[in-house]
Amino acid sequence: MTMFDEATTAVRTEAGRYRAELSPKYRIGDALNGGYLMAVLLSAARQETEHPHPVSTAAHFLRVATPGPAEIAVTTLKSGRTVTVLRAELLRDGQVTTTVQAVFAALDPDAKPEHAPAAPELPPIDGCVRLDPRASRHPSDSFVYNIELRFSPDSVRALTEGADHPELRGYVNLPDPRPNDGLMLALAVDALPPVVSTVLPLAWAPTVELTWQMRNVPADGPLGFTATARQIGDGWFDENVELWDPAGRLVAQSRQLARVGRPPAPVETRM
């Protein structure tokens, strides 16, 4: 069992109820990463259905979720031959912090799409730079050290020198090799530094709502990504992420609405 598998384990305690131990290794500052929280909730929800793939997930982040023991309540909204629709709520200290409404189905890993977009032109992974501009602000056992991000040279320049438009490209992977699945995709669509940090100073950008879709069963290996923002203003921005597997297939796409936050205070890192 990898660190990610252990950290996303949800144990059934009674009908529709689960317990989980939220790992501090996926925190950014005091808050747990939203992609990680979605993965934990989907880990519980998929135990309530025979359909294995979260083809559509809508998450709302109501309060900051912190590490420690948590409860998960799962409600089946619809159960059919093609899809199961479930709602899952994450509770810390009796308060709901995060909710997801997820549609589960069974994707055919060998399906050939009638129409599909061309994969983006990304440099070879060896030509990308391992970097996370958030690293100097967070302890060495936190989220930014437990996800592997590699950025294209133009994205490195955007993150370090600024850019005219918000865009990031590169690869995302877990340090511990494991098969790519819906839980990994949930983490990966929310793993990047905020795309607005290419045009504004780096700051904590709390997500209010995130919707993502699983489009294909991904092949194993690092996932290529593109991230863009359509509009930044009045304290809000959107972030749009696409993930591509090593076979060149679109495997996930997401859009989130987030706040443009204030820069956090620096945290001394342990080497």
Side-chain angles (χ1 to χ4, degrees):
M1 181 178 287
T2 67
M3 182 182 74
F4 179 68
D5 290 315
E6 184 175 358
T8 55
T9 296
V11 179
R12 197 169 195 260
T13 57
E14 58 181 285
R17 304 289 291 195
Y18 295 80
R19 59 177 171 81
E21 185 68 28
L22 302 179
S23 172
K25 295 181 179 179
Y26 294 91
R27 72 191 189 281
I28 297 180
D30 295 329
L32 289 166
N33 169 261
Y36 166 66
L37 295 174
M38 289 193 296
V40 174
L41 286 165
L42 292 173
S43 173
R46 71 178 181 182
Q47 296 181 56
E48 297 287 320
T49 175
E50 295 182 356
H51 296 121
H53 302 126
V55 295
S56 178
T57 301
H60 287 86
F61 302 91
L62 311 179
R63 299 176 178 85
V64 168
T66 54
E71 293 181 274
I72 300 169
V74 181
T75 304
T76 300
L77 303 178
K78 174 186 176 180
S79 181
R81 289 182 297 177
T82 304
V83 300
T84 303
V85 183
L86 301 124
R87 181 175 63 240
E89 298 178 326
L90 181 70
L91 296 93
R92 283 280 283 128
D93 301 323
Q95 286 194 316
V96 177
T97 68
T98 312
T99 70
V100 301
Q101 185 161 312
V103 180
F104 281 78
L107 297 177
D108 180 356
D110 299 318
K112 305 295 183 185
E114 287 77 20
H115 173 77
E121 294 185 6
L122 297 177
I125 192 168
D126 291 342
C128 293
V129 179
R130 187 166 183 179
L131 170 75
D132 195 317
R134 301 168 291 186
S136 64
R137 302 183 179 190
H138 298 284
S140 58
D141 61 346
S142 60
F143 177 78
V144 297
Y145 294 93
N146 291 305
I147 194 79
E148 184 177 302
L149 297 174
R150 293 180 182 269
F151 290 95
S152 64
D154 57 336
S155 294
V156 172
R157 287 191 295 272
L159 288 167
T160 56
E161 302 173 15
D164 295 330
H165 62 280
E167 182 178 9
L168 293 170
R169 301 185 305 147
Y171 298 88
V172 58
N173 200 14
L174 289 171
D176 299 329
R178 71 183 292 280
N180 286 329
D181 60 4
L183 302 190
M184 168 56 181
L185 296 179
L187 180 75
V189 294
D190 195 38
L192 308 179
V195 70
V196 295
S197 60
T198 59
V199 295
L200 296 175
L202 178 66
W204 180 56
T207 301
V208 176
E209 187 271 346
L210 189 154
T211 300
W212 74 276
Q213 294 87 39
M214 181 175 181
R215 304 309 311 275
N216 284 288
V217 179
D220 294 338
L223 299 170
F225 67 77
T226 61
T228 59
R230 295 286 291 173
Q231 179 169 294
I232 306 166
D234 197 23
W236 298 90
F237 73 97
D238 59 88
E239 181 169 298
N240 309 285
V241 174
E242 292 184 346
L243 299 178
W244 303 79
D245 73 0
R249 298 176 305 162
L250 177 67
V251 293
Q253 53 194 146
S254 72
R255 170 170 288 184
Q256 66 172 278
L257 181 67
R259 294 287 293 166
V260 177
R262 289 177 292 182
V267 175
E268 183 178 352
T269 58
R270 297 194 299 274
M271 303 299 292

